[in-house]
Amino acid sequence: MKIGIGYDVHKLVRNRDLIVGGVKIEHEKGLLGHSDADVLTHAIMDSILGALSLGDIGKQFPDTSPEFKDANSINLLKKVYESMYDKGYIIGNIDAVIVAQRPKMAPYIIDMRKVISDTLNTSIENINIKATTTEELGFEGRKEGISSHSVCLLIKK
């Protein structure tokens, strides 16, 4: 077994789609980043890469590379999955949290779990996603950005 932890944060800005966990969310702002800035998927990728001792998404998918400009993070997660599978591991489980004051994430969590579980070829029961606010404290509370944390357990196949 291997355990990994991931964290990501992106700034909220106008004129960008808000994509979280591979799901487009209607909101007046979206997340700024070199790719689609999917903060949840990025945290999950980092937790898997960490468990595998493969660095992080910045190492695997550098923001200096035009290849990853506006990339769909679910497609990047597929590449991380392939690396994980090639190293002889499958998902045991993932537990993740999205930290955002607005918009409310609860209506989208089932869809996020489905997209992530399908991408990682695992049961939806192995993917847990929670959402919380910061009671208006910090950058998330001021609605300046969204962060996400993820922990994963990988098991030998």
Side-chain angles (χ1 to χ4, degrees), residues 9-153:
V9 60
H10 286 279
K11 181 179 181 177
L12 282 164
V13 296
R14 296 204 179 277
N15 301 315
R16 288 276 296 193
D17 287 337
L18 179 57
I19 310 292
V20 181
V23 175
K24 185 175 179 181
I25 297 171
E26 291 303 318
H27 192 58
E28 68 270 7
K29 293 182 177 179
L31 294 169
L32 181 62
H34 185 69
S35 67
D36 63 6
D38 182 338
V39 69
L40 173 62
T41 302
H42 291 184
I44 289 171
M45 284 191 287
D46 267 354
S47 67
I48 295 169
L49 291 168
L52 297 170
S53 298
L54 292 176
D56 59 22
I57 60 173
K59 179 180 177 185
Q60 299 296 319
F61 313 110
D63 64 5
T64 55
S65 172
E67 175 186 358
F68 304 115
K69 178 74 174 138
D70 298 321
N72 178 324
S73 293
I74 294 300
N75 291 336
L76 301 180
L77 181 61
K78 287 177 187 173
K79 292 177 188 250
V80 170
Y81 168 80
E82 289 166 7
S83 295
M84 176 191 76
Y85 195 82
D86 289 348
K87 284 187 155 276
Y89 289 91
I90 59 172
I91 296 295
N93 76 299
I94 291 174
D95 189 22
V97 62
I98 305 160
V99 185
Q101 197 67 39
R102 292 277 183 270
K104 291 293 186 188
M105 297 289 162
Y108 305 97
I109 286 179
I110 292 293
D111 291 338
M112 292 175 193
R113 290 177 64 210
K114 177 86 171 107
V115 169
I116 299 295
S117 65
D118 286 351
T119 304
L120 295 174
N121 292 316
T122 192
S123 167
I124 195 169
E125 301 299 318
N126 295 332
I127 308 297
N128 188 57
I129 300 170
K130 305 175 293 276
T132 190
T133 70
T134 60
E135 303 297 331
E136 300 181 355
L137 297 172
F139 71 88
E140 298 104 327
R142 291 188 302 269
K143 302 173 201 131
E144 296 170 0
I146 296 175
S147 68
S148 186
H149 303 259
S150 174
V151 176
C152 76
L153 174 69

